[in-house]
Amino acid sequence: QDLRFGKEVFFAYGPIAGTAATPANGLGKVHVFEKGTSLHTLQVNIALPKDGYFYECWLMNPKTQERLSTGHLKSLFGDVRHNLDYQADRDLSGFTNVIITLEKDDGNSAPGTEVATGTLKELKRD
């Protein structure tokens, strides 16, 4: 039960791993609540991007291939620890693939190079 969003009706989590070229590790989560809000959180350890680049997180629905940007990863301490908090007014329970891309800061909205991925697994709660 969340005081802001009501009862949790779906929860999934899973490990995040880097590609062969980019070491990374972390944890992704999706919570869906009865009032229609979803939360996506991500904590990942990955090297700071070079100047002019940033990391972006995407959730993908493997059944429909729909991809949703959940925002730029932030390093609050200027080191490898990055996080992301995303809130949506829609059900994200079908979005179980996590993709992190390295993006050039050039205004192009297309996904960049994949540097880390993960698959979220539903955890049934009582």
Side-chain angles (χ1 to χ4, degrees), residues 59-68 93-97:
L59 288 177
M60 186 174 77
N61 183 321
K63 292 180 183 169
T64 66
Q65 300 299 302
E66 180 184 355
R67 197 181 273 224
L68 173 69
S93 60
F95 290 80
T96 54
N97 290 355

Side-chain angles (χ1 to χ4, degrees), residues 1 13 20 25 29 32 38 40 42 46 48 50 55 59 63 67 74-75 80 91-92 118 123:
Q1 184 78 12
Y13 71 106
N25 64 66
K29 299 183 245 179
V32 179
S38 293
H40 166 58
L42 179 72
I46 190 169
L48 288 170
K50 295 178 186 175
Y55 295 114
L59 288 177
K63 292 180 183 169
R67 197 181 273 224
K74 305 277 190 256
S75 174
V80 300
D91 183 339
L92 296 179
L123 175 66

Side-chain angles (χ1 to χ4, degrees), residues 62-110:
K63 292 180 183 169
T64 66
Q65 300 299 302
E66 180 184 355
R67 197 181 273 224
L68 173 69
S69 171
T70 58
H72 298 191
L73 277 66
K74 305 277 190 256
S75 174
L76 298 176
F77 300 103
D79 61 10
V80 300
R81 296 172 290 176
H82 290 77
N83 66 8
L84 174 112
D85 293 302
Y86 175 78
Q87 180 177 323
D89 291 328
R90 68 182 278 194
D91 183 339
L92 296 179
S93 60
F95 290 80
T96 54
N97 290 355
V98 178
I99 302 163
I100 298 171
T101 56
L102 179 62
E103 305 285 340
K104 187 170 183 167
D105 197 5
D106 60 3
N108 182 347
S109 63

